[in-house]
Amino acid sequence: MKLDKKEILKALETITVPGEGKNMVESGAVTNVMTFGDEVVVDVTIKNPSLQARKKTEVEILKAIHNEVYEKAKIKVNINVDAPEKKPQIKGKAIPGIKNIIAVASGKGGVGKSTITVNLAVTLAKMGFNVGLLDADIYGPSAPIMLDVERERPLAVKVDGKSKMKPVENYGVKVLSIGFFTQPNQAVIWRGPMASKALNQMIFDAAWGELDFLLVDLPPGTGDIHLSIMQSLPVTGAVVVSTPQNVALADARKGVAMFQQESIRVPVLGIIENMAYFTPEELPENKYYIFGKEGAKNLSEDLDVPFLGEIPLIQSIREAGDVGRPAALQTATPLEEAFEELTRNIVQEVVDRNENLPPTEAIKITTMAGCSAVKKK
């Protein structure tokens, strides 16, 4: 029997392409049909690369032609797979209205990371940017004290019919912290999953509005909270704070390595050297390198990441943080100048990063990945 190509195509129209709602001919899956007497060759292209899908497609074609055209037809089915390329996901769930998210980290505690974060935030606000600060240091929240909003509480507001937390605002900075929800003498004794859940609520259940920058003040070290943040948010880049001394630099090196780890790959915008030197008020020209000299600067060169700037150890920085008026708000002082230079450098690194690098890709962290040693080439 001589097979007719039109009849073959009509038979193939009885087969529906899974997930498309169209038949195999209409969808364009059938790319070619050739007949030679009682023989027929059917070329098909499918999008599902699985062996099960290929086998099912072949069986349905054989069955349709045998039932609808000729039961003794000799059929050869050539199946090609054209699976769509998987585009990398943006890490985490983007927050509408927030343009850049910067994580501020440190390898160890006591290097002034929160102080740097708060002063960066108010300096950005002074420069005219819309700024938010997420105090992700669940176990030691200090942003409310430093921004003089310790007694404030976030209000509930309606956004698109949903109840959201309205961040507390002062000095032009919107801030959320677990410190708003605990008593001053109350310790936060939570395991990792509960702390991560609280963080997610402050991130996604908050009415941040339009922000140019959201600074995330991370806890010291490299642990559970860090991984939760990087899985939850599309972090634009990270900044690592260190003092010049060797003990702090050793941990700062690990902090940089965490962000550069293959399974994480968050761009490191640079390293900040805090407490670079001590200058007494009565001798403003004198510099005493109490914790060592240019340690963080040398580390940045060693790791090939930008050096963002140095902040001196001055008594007024501590005093300003304690009374809730960040030192960067002082006008016409070396401190204001130092924080402005530091902030300008960070903004420039963000601009360069956004121009030259794609959005941060999704991270896949297994149970052991966070515990594995990072090998530097």
Side-chain angles (χ1 to χ4, degrees):
M1 177 180 177
K2 186 177 180 180
L3 298 175
D4 188 334
K5 182 178 177 179
K6 291 182 179 179
E7 291 184 341
I8 299 296
L9 289 171
K10 188 175 180 180
L12 295 177
E13 287 178 349
T14 64
I15 304 172
T16 303
V17 179
E20 293 190 17
K22 298 179 180 179
N23 67 61
M24 189 166 282
V25 177
E26 184 185 5
S27 69
V30 177
T31 57
N32 193 26
V33 174
M34 295 181 291
T35 58
F36 309 93
D38 63 348
E39 297 180 14
V40 60
V41 178
V42 181
D43 294 332
V44 180
T45 299
I46 63 175
K47 295 180 180 180
N48 190 333
S50 69
L51 180 62
Q52 181 182 2
R54 287 151 64 178
K55 190 64 180 175
K56 181 182 178 184
T57 301
E58 182 180 5
V59 169
E60 288 185 342
I61 290 173
L62 295 175
K63 185 177 178 181
I65 294 174
H66 284 153
N67 290 346
E68 302 292 331
V69 183
Y70 181 48
E71 63 181 356
K72 295 181 180 181
K74 298 173 184 177
I75 308 168
K76 178 176 176 54
V77 181
N78 297 319
I79 298 179
N80 297 313
V81 176
D82 183 23
E85 182 182 353
K86 289 186 177 179
K87 295 181 179 179
Q89 292 177 303
I90 300 301
K91 177 175 43 177
K93 180 182 176 184
I95 306 176
I98 298 181
K99 296 177 182 177
N100 299 287
I101 299 174
I102 299 176
V104 184
S106 66
K108 69 187 298 295
V111 298
K113 170 186 52 59
S114 295
T115 300
I116 292 290
T117 307
V118 167
N119 280 281
L120 282 176
V122 297
T123 304
L124 284 167
K126 279 170 59 179
M127 291 178 173
F129 293 107
N130 294 321
V131 186
L133 195 162
L134 173 64
D135 187 359
D137 194 349
I138 293 290
Y139 305 107
S142 52
I145 295 175
M146 292 184 178
L147 287 170
D148 195 25
V149 288
E150 190 177 11
R151 298 181 183 277
E152 303 290 331
R153 294 293 179 267
L155 300 175
V157 293
K158 287 286 185 180
V159 179
D160 297 329
K162 295 181 180 179
S163 182
K164 299 273 188 179
M165 281 185 287
K166 183 181 179 182
V168 175
E169 187 169 350
N170 198 17
Y171 307 125
V173 177
K174 297 178 180 178
V175 59
L176 277 179
S177 169
I178 200 67
F180 292 135
F181 307 100
T182 59
Q183 297 301 318
N185 59 347
Q186 179 184 356
V188 179
I189 309 173
W190 289 346
R191 294 188 184 274
M194 190 158 181
S196 298
K197 184 178 179 182
L199 261 182
N200 277 333
Q201 286 184 313
M202 287 195 293
I203 294 168
F204 297 111
D205 291 343
W208 289 104
E210 297 289 328
L211 295 181
D212 296 304
F213 294 95
L214 175 63
L215 303 184
V216 182
D217 183 18
L218 292 172
T222 55
D224 201 35
I225 298 300
H226 304 74
L227 299 183
S228 295
I229 286 289
M230 288 181 286
Q231 284 178 309
S232 301
L233 289 173
V235 179
T236 307
V239 170
V240 176
V241 181
S242 178
T243 57
Q245 68 185 112
N246 288 337
V247 172
L249 294 172
D251 290 330
R253 184 184 293 269
K254 296 174 185 176
V256 172
M258 173 187 70
F259 292 112
Q260 292 179 337
Q261 189 169 334
E262 192 64 33
S263 59
I264 296 176
R265 298 197 66 79
V266 167
V268 178
L269 301 175
I271 296 176
I272 299 171
E273 183 169 276
N274 193 29
M275 309 181 199
Y277 53 85
F278 170 65
T279 297
E281 186 177 358
E282 63 275 12
L283 298 169
E285 300 300 320
N286 289 26
K287 294 181 179 180
Y288 301 93
Y289 296 92
I290 297 173
F291 298 113
K293 188 175 181 180
E294 297 184 343
K297 184 176 182 180
N298 294 333
L299 177 64
S300 69
E301 293 174 358
D302 185 36
L303 298 179
D304 195 26
V305 297
F307 180 67
L308 297 170
E310 60 183 22
I311 300 297
L313 176 61
I314 297 178
Q315 183 174 334
S316 63
I317 297 180
R318 190 273 305 165
E319 293 172 341
D322 285 349
V323 299
R325 184 172 173 79
L329 294 173
Q330 299 171 12
T331 57
T333 64
L335 270 182
E336 181 191 39
E337 184 178 336
F339 278 115
E340 285 184 353
E341 181 182 358
L342 175 63
T343 306
R344 281 194 298 267
N345 290 340
I346 291 176
V347 172
Q348 186 59 57
E349 289 298 328
V350 171
V351 171
D352 293 345
R353 176 256 180 274
N354 289 340
E355 287 181 352
N356 300 317
L357 293 176
T360 307
E361 295 181 2
I363 60 173
K364 297 178 181 178
I365 300 177
T366 64
T367 304
M368 295 305 295
C371 303
S372 62
V374 178
K375 294 181 181 179
K376 295 292 289 180
K377 295 184 179 179

